[in-house]
Amino acid sequence: MSNANLFCALRAAFPANLDAPAILPADGPDTTHFYSWRDLDQASARIANLLDSLDLPPASRIAVQVEKSVEALMLYLAVLRAGHVFLPLNTAYQDGEISYFVGNAEPAVVVCSGKNFTWVSRIAFLAGTTHVYTLNDDRTGTLLDRASFHADTHEPAQVAATDLAAILYTSGTTGRSKGAMLSHGNLLSNALTLRSYWRWQPDDVLIHALPIFHVHGLFVASHGALLNGSPMIWFSKFDPAAVLARLPEATIFMGVPTLYVRLLGEAGLTPQACSHMRLFISGSAPLLMDTFTEWQRRTGHTILERYGMSETVMLTSNPCLPADGERRGGTVGFPLPGVGVRVHDDQGQPVPTGEIGGIQVRGPNVFGGYWRMPEKTREEFTADGWFKTGDVGRVDVDGYVTIVGRSKDLIISGGYNVYPAEIESVLNDLDGVAESAVIGVPHADFGEAVVAVLVARSGAELDSARLISHLKGKIANFKVPKRVFVVTDLPRNTMGKVQKNLLREQHKALFNPA
């Protein structure tokens, strides 16, 4: 019987020379030494053996809230190896959020940073968790102490492709977070597809500067390098100057749009600095056209933008090779091989090509449902098995997919549908505007009123009344913001997505004061 454990596929891709560099720390306690492939194998074996020694039920949840480190990645590999379910938690989560996740997932083991042990362990023990360990970003903690007494070889647990590998909680910007259940088969199928589609090469080197509690950093980036046997230059925290200095040693960089904006702020970002690079990939949040075009001008490279979700890993991607088409700014490219994408209206009927509707997807990468939420799972899947992403977009006649926004961000003003991304695109093209966020807030006459929140470019002064007047000549009157606010920064989550729920809360009484 073959073993569908994702770890087996990753381990099989390790190079023959296990003493070759696998991960090169770029910051942290020691940047003079590297981790070899043998280190990854043996350390994950020790931790897996520790988990085995606890006599946990099969597929126990292992909740992890720790700072980024190579050891944290080893812990993830060990959880897969032992046949349990990895539950990564954002390092920004606080007491109330951790209480919810631990209560909902009922993990058998919780691993946290040493500095948080007192309050995290209190929550865990009250919820019935038996084992709580610490893991710090300086190679210390009780997890590593206990694991050091165990053997450095381990036979991976036998699992089926449909068995759970990870639960990822959605960001929870509206209502309680939902735990997306991803199987070994979901994750492996997507990793294999991306290895082929993005043309991973034998000499590729990845700069890893993303967090590893999220799909982008943990699955897309880490799986990509591991499944290709490629070394990673490992940043525990993103530093644009430090990343720029390591580009000559790398071939692939993956980042959220914010990281590209910060790199553009470095004077040393030139075609020469990027001459060894093969691929720049962006995701997790929309990439502004200004960033897209300025990156082309400054580096000679065109960013490849792609689209995915916690529930599905990656769904679409702009082409890797010119022969497959252009990397078109403002789009997320084509559906990946094996992935179906369709656009339907609110009544569940397909919309004509090029028209906007709700994006639905299916494929071997699509999750099995939400943890302990069978009714919510049924709501989010169509009768014929397609997952309703909650994203709004269109598929053009040539197959390119464009994301317009989230369905929950849709504004209905005076009976008209207003898509924020359309207005944001116009605003972002105006002189002096660096970035914008368009939201709907309650209005007695219109139901919702359109409001824009802008960030000005350095040195620019924006006049709200003049901007509104200008927009009236560009877009339909019902789309023109009733009010425009200029702020220093837009609120974002850790992956760089603008938190429009916070803006809506801030301005909810603008037209209907209490």
Side-chain angles (χ1 to χ4, degrees):
M1 177 179 175
S2 62
N3 192 350
N5 194 317
L6 172 61
F7 176 81
C8 294
L10 299 176
R11 176 61 182 84
F14 286 14
N17 179 12
L18 292 179
D19 294 316
I23 301 180
L24 299 90
D27 54 14
D30 187 0
T31 59
T32 62
H33 295 90
F34 62 80
Y35 293 79
S36 68
W37 296 96
R38 191 182 306 279
D39 292 332
L40 296 186
D41 185 31
Q42 293 182 343
S44 63
R46 289 192 180 95
I47 300 172
N49 282 320
L50 168 62
L51 295 175
D52 286 352
S53 74
L54 303 179
D55 292 325
L56 306 176
S60 290
R61 277 76 61 204
I62 314 296
V64 179
Q65 191 199 32
V66 298
E67 299 299 326
K68 182 180 179 181
S69 68
V70 178
E71 286 70 25
L73 181 66
M74 293 171 170
L75 170 57
Y76 165 61
L77 296 177
V79 172
L80 294 177
R81 194 168 188 162
H84 297 303
V85 182
F86 193 70
L87 178 62
L89 296 173
N90 191 319
T91 53
Y93 287 146
Q94 299 299 312
D95 189 302
E97 294 155 315
I98 296 299
S99 294
Y100 169 72
F101 296 128
V102 171
N104 185 250
E106 295 185 305
V109 177
V110 171
V111 183
C112 65
S113 300
K115 64 183 180 182
N116 295 333
F117 177 78
T118 300
W119 66 269
V120 172
S121 62
R122 172 179 52 81
I123 291 170
F125 292 141
L126 285 174
T129 298
T130 309
H131 308 281
V132 180
Y133 298 103
T134 59
L135 177 61
N136 303 311
D137 57 3
D138 61 355
R139 303 178 187 168
T140 63
T142 57
L143 179 79
L144 300 180
D145 291 342
R146 302 287 176 83
S148 67
F149 292 99
H150 291 271
D152 62 6
T153 59
H154 178 273
E155 185 67 25
Q158 187 79 33
V159 304
T162 53
D163 287 342
L164 274 189
I167 298 175
L168 265 68
Y169 279 90
T170 59
S171 57
T173 55
T174 57
R176 278 298 191 184
S177 295
K178 307 180 293 292
M181 300 186 293
L182 294 163
S183 69
H184 288 261
N186 290 150
L187 297 176
L188 180 57
S189 69
N190 206 238
L192 290 169
T193 295
L194 293 175
R195 183 178 68 178
S196 173
Y197 198 79
W198 289 343
R199 305 298 199 276
W200 278 82
Q201 303 296 312
D203 60 348
D204 273 331
V205 176
L206 171 71
I207 289 184
H208 197 305
L210 292 161
I212 55 171
F213 52 72
H214 188 268
V215 162
H216 198 166
L218 183 62
F219 299 151
V220 182
S222 299
H223 287 174
L226 293 171
L227 196 60
N228 197 56
S230 291
M232 289 183 265
I233 299 174
W234 187 268
F235 285 87
S236 59
K237 290 181 172 56
F238 176 74
D239 179 318
V243 167
L244 184 61
R246 303 300 291 267
L247 289 182
E249 305 167 52
T251 60
I252 300 177
F253 175 79
M254 299 186 191
V256 300
T258 302
L259 305 193
Y260 287 99
V261 171
R262 292 179 63 187
L263 283 167
L264 284 167
E266 296 293 317
L269 184 70
T270 63
Q272 183 178 5
C274 301
S275 62
H276 193 246
M277 293 294 295
R278 183 177 71 81
L279 194 56
F280 289 99
I281 299 170
S282 179
S284 299
L287 184 72
L288 293 176
M289 276 301 297
D290 273 1
T291 306
F292 180 84
T293 55
E294 182 65 5
W295 192 268
Q296 284 179 317
R297 188 186 71 81
R298 289 278 301 278
T299 69
H301 286 264
T302 300
I303 295 172
L304 183 154
E305 191 171 7
R306 85 301 178 279
Y307 163 58
M309 305 178 69
S310 297
E311 292 93 338
T312 64
V313 203
M314 292 303 100
L315 293 162
T316 75
S317 172
N318 267 274
C320 182
L321 297 181
D324 297 328
E326 64 174 330
R327 295 180 196 166
R328 186 175 298 174
T331 81
V332 291
F334 303 114
L336 289 168
V339 174
V341 174
R342 70 185 189 187
V343 183
H344 278 213
D345 62 21
D346 293 341
Q347 287 70 49
Q349 298 302 309
V351 303
T353 300
E355 291 196 11
I356 292 171
I359 295 176
Q360 301 177 1
V361 298
R362 68 177 178 185
N365 52 306
V366 176
F367 76 138
Y370 293 112
W371 173 256
R372 292 179 174 170
M373 289 186 174
E375 291 185 5
K376 186 63 177 173
T377 299
R378 283 193 293 272
E379 288 175 11
E380 300 304 324
F381 281 86
T382 64
D384 56 349
W386 291 67
F387 173 57
K388 295 180 282 189
T389 66
D391 288 315
V392 177
R394 67 175 189 270
V395 179
D396 291 329
V397 66
D398 55 3
Y400 282 84
V401 178
T402 300
I403 307 299
V404 174
R406 292 288 292 169
S407 58
K408 63 181 173 58
D409 291 334
L410 174 69
I411 303 166
I412 303 177
S413 185
Y416 293 103
N417 287 355
V418 179
Y419 296 100
E422 179 187 2
I423 305 170
E424 289 162 358
S425 177
V426 176
L427 286 168
N428 294 338
D429 283 341
L430 299 180
D431 290 341
V433 177
E435 193 173 6
S436 65
V438 172
I439 58 172
V441 299
H443 191 284
D445 292 332
F446 298 103
E448 286 184 294
V450 180
V451 172
V453 185
L454 310 180
V455 176
R457 291 188 182 278
S458 178
E461 291 188 12
L462 299 177
D463 181 272
S464 298
R466 187 175 299 172
L467 285 169
I468 291 174
S469 177
H470 182 79
L471 286 174
K472 288 181 177 179
K474 295 278 188 180
I475 55 178
N477 197 54
F478 70 86
K479 300 177 184 178
V480 175
K482 297 284 189 288
R483 293 284 299 275
V484 171
F485 295 93
V486 180
V487 298
T488 304
D489 292 294
L490 296 174
R492 299 180 184 276
N493 65 16
T494 53
M495 294 308 295
K497 293 181 180 178
V498 175
Q499 294 179 296
K500 291 188 175 181
N501 59 308
L502 299 182
L503 294 175
R504 284 191 288 265
E505 179 66 23
Q506 180 183 350
H507 296 290
K508 67 181 181 181
L510 184 62
F511 299 103
N512 297 324

